[in-house]
Amino acid sequence: MRRILNILLLATVLLAASCERRPLMELSNTHYVRVYVDETIKNVTTGFYNEDYVKPLYKSPDIMRIMLADPQTGQIRAERFLRNKGKDDKGLYYDGYIIADPGEYTLLAYNFDTETTIISNQNNHKNAYAYTDGIASHLKTKIPSRATKSPSGTPEQIVYDPDHLFAANCGRVHVPYADYVDTLSTPEGEYFHAESIVKSYFLQVRVKGMQYATSSIGLLTGMSGSARLHTGQMDQDNNVTVYFEMLPGESPATGMTRAGTDEAIIYTTFGTFGKLPDAENELEITFDFLTVYGKAHSETFNITDLFSTPEAIDHQWLLIDHVIEIPEPPKIEGGSGGFKPSVDEWEDVKTDILI
């Protein structure tokens, strides 16, 4: 009998030791999140200088990455890739669910499918930034004006222009205790909104003798090469030169010329994280042409003041009021006309644009 009582007593002690207080309902760590993307982008989706010109390629993002980070360290505590798309009267949005413990966080969301824009330090909210790589070596051979040295005589970083990166930031996101799937929001109770941290500028210039050119590119100095994701602000210490190819517009060859002249128009739309605000900074653009007769032609313009014009401020249009002249092919020795294919030194012309 005593043995049976001892066994019962031991079982009671073990059961008492293994018991703990539990709430009747488990708290849920799953939260609904929605991010709207502002696709109103000057010179890409709206605000075109000339509707007849070729428009830049644009595609809505496929994926948005959303992260909740520690407010002090910036380290990521929870993340999710949002693939579900929707659209309502507020525009395009991406939504889904993220699992996170209750607490205070900072939020960062950005699209994950850019072509030229690269994200570095992507696992830290405070340190993540966007940039673009230097151009490929085979493209450098098409830049005769940079064949010897950069305009300043110091090493020059020539990079691709960035494509659009949409970023949403919120300095404080409260994740509460809840026994249901709640909705994360801004301190004002709104959904999150992402805007591009890249600006797109339209640029054009007039050219005489364009029929003698086989290709043309542009190089714009004084641009920022990166931007912080958590602020969207450019890095003012990263001075780069942006590379872009020019497209033909009106030309004598197509029968469309400017006001009946023999002037052609070349243009492009390029992206940038921003122009450097340093008052002493000079913004220069160089146009490099390769000609049918093997001679390179280059012209450089100071367009610092052009960024202060109403067209640039209101529309992000850079309209260069100057005519580039590409020389005619040299005559063949002997005087029978035509041109003699050869590779010669290029002509480098520098001009100030007066506003």
Side-chain angles (χ1 to χ4, degrees):
M1 185 68 176
R2 180 181 295 274
R3 181 178 178 83
I4 294 174
L5 290 175
N6 287 338
I7 292 174
L8 290 174
L9 180 61
L10 179 61
T12 301
V13 172
L14 291 174
L15 287 173
S18 63
C19 291
E20 63 179 23
R21 289 177 174 266
R22 292 180 182 271
L24 294 178
M25 292 176 294
E26 291 289 345
L27 296 178
S28 172
N29 290 341
T30 302
H31 315 276
Y32 175 76
V33 63
R34 178 180 292 190
V35 180
Y36 282 91
V37 171
D38 184 359
E39 295 189 292
T40 304
I41 308 172
K42 290 181 179 178
N43 301 307
V44 176
T45 62
T46 187
F48 298 105
Y49 175 75
N50 190 326
E51 290 285 349
D52 294 330
Y53 286 168
V54 177
K55 296 178 176 62
L57 295 176
Y58 173 77
K59 184 176 70 70
S60 297
D62 291 324
I63 302 173
M64 293 291 291
R65 183 192 187 199
I66 185 166
M67 302 176 294
L68 294 174
D70 184 294
Q72 279 71 46
T73 66
Q75 291 298 316
I76 304 304
R77 298 306 181 202
E79 67 174 322
R80 187 65 184 268
F81 293 92
L82 305 179
R83 293 177 172 84
N84 185 60
K85 289 185 186 181
K87 206 163 192 177
D88 59 18
D89 57 348
K90 294 182 181 179
L92 175 69
Y93 66 82
Y94 299 76
D95 67 351
Y97 298 90
I98 188 169
I99 297 175
D101 294 330
E104 299 292 327
Y105 299 92
T106 54
L107 177 141
L108 173 64
Y110 63 90
N111 57 305
F112 201 68
D113 50 0
T114 52
E115 183 177 351
T116 58
T117 302
I118 303 169
I119 309 299
S120 185
N121 297 335
Q122 55 187 314
N123 290 323
N124 189 288
H125 176 270
K126 294 182 177 180
N127 298 334
Y129 67 94
Y131 70 100
T132 57
D133 273 335
I135 63 173
S137 57
H138 74 275
L139 294 177
K140 293 181 181 180
T141 62
K142 299 181 180 180
I143 312 177
S145 64
R146 301 306 201 257
T148 53
K149 62 179 181 179
S150 66
S152 63
T154 58
E156 181 180 23
Q157 187 180 5
I158 303 176
V159 301
Y160 295 105
D161 65 316
D163 48 350
H164 284 273
L165 181 74
F166 299 94
N169 302 278
C170 188
R172 185 178 70 83
V173 174
H174 176 66
V175 177
Y177 288 92
D179 57 3
Y180 57 90
V181 177
D182 66 329
T183 299
L184 299 187
S185 62
T186 67
E188 296 75 27
E190 301 290 336
Y191 289 123
F192 305 103
H193 283 76
E195 296 181 349
S196 178
I197 64 174
V198 173
K199 283 187 174 182
S200 286
Y201 281 88
F202 171 81
L203 180 146
Q204 78 167 24
V205 66
R206 308 195 308 276
V207 182
K208 272 189 175 183
M210 191 63 197
Q211 62 270 32
Y212 307 130
T214 59
S215 65
S216 58
I217 64 165
L219 298 166
L220 181 59
T221 65
M223 297 287 105
S224 174
S226 56
R228 296 285 172 178
L229 265 65
H230 76 287
T231 63
Q233 300 299 311
M234 64 180 171
D235 184 352
Q236 298 186 20
D237 296 324
N238 188 5
N239 191 336
V240 301
T241 296
V242 176
Y243 167 98
F244 41 81
E245 296 183 0
M246 304 298 296
L247 298 173
E250 300 171 349
S251 69
T254 61
M256 298 185 301
T257 58
R258 182 178 179 272
T261 68
D262 60 350
E263 297 173 5
I265 287 179
I266 56 175
Y267 67 94
T268 194
T269 300
F270 68 91
T272 176
F273 295 114
K275 69 178 184 67
L276 298 177
D278 189 345
E280 297 180 357
N281 173 60
E282 290 191 351
L283 300 169
E284 289 190 343
I285 186 165
T286 299
F287 295 100
D288 277 290
F289 300 86
L290 294 178
T291 66
V292 294
Y293 48 90
K295 186 174 183 180
H297 182 78
S298 173
E299 291 202 25
T300 300
F301 307 105
N302 185 320
I303 60 171
T304 303
D305 293 336
L306 198 59
F307 278 90
S308 301
T309 61
E311 291 83 3
I313 295 173
D314 298 335
H315 306 288
Q316 292 163 207
W317 297 343
L318 301 176
L319 311 176
I320 299 178
D321 188 19
H322 183 81
V323 180
I324 298 173
E325 295 194 29
I326 300 176
E328 294 183 5
K331 302 295 183 181
I332 293 179
E333 296 178 5
S336 60
F339 61 89
K340 179 181 180 181
S342 64
V343 177
D344 202 351
E345 295 296 324
W346 57 82
E347 297 183 8
D348 194 348
V349 180
K350 283 202 172 188
T351 307
D352 288 333
I353 300 296
L354 300 178
I355 305 300

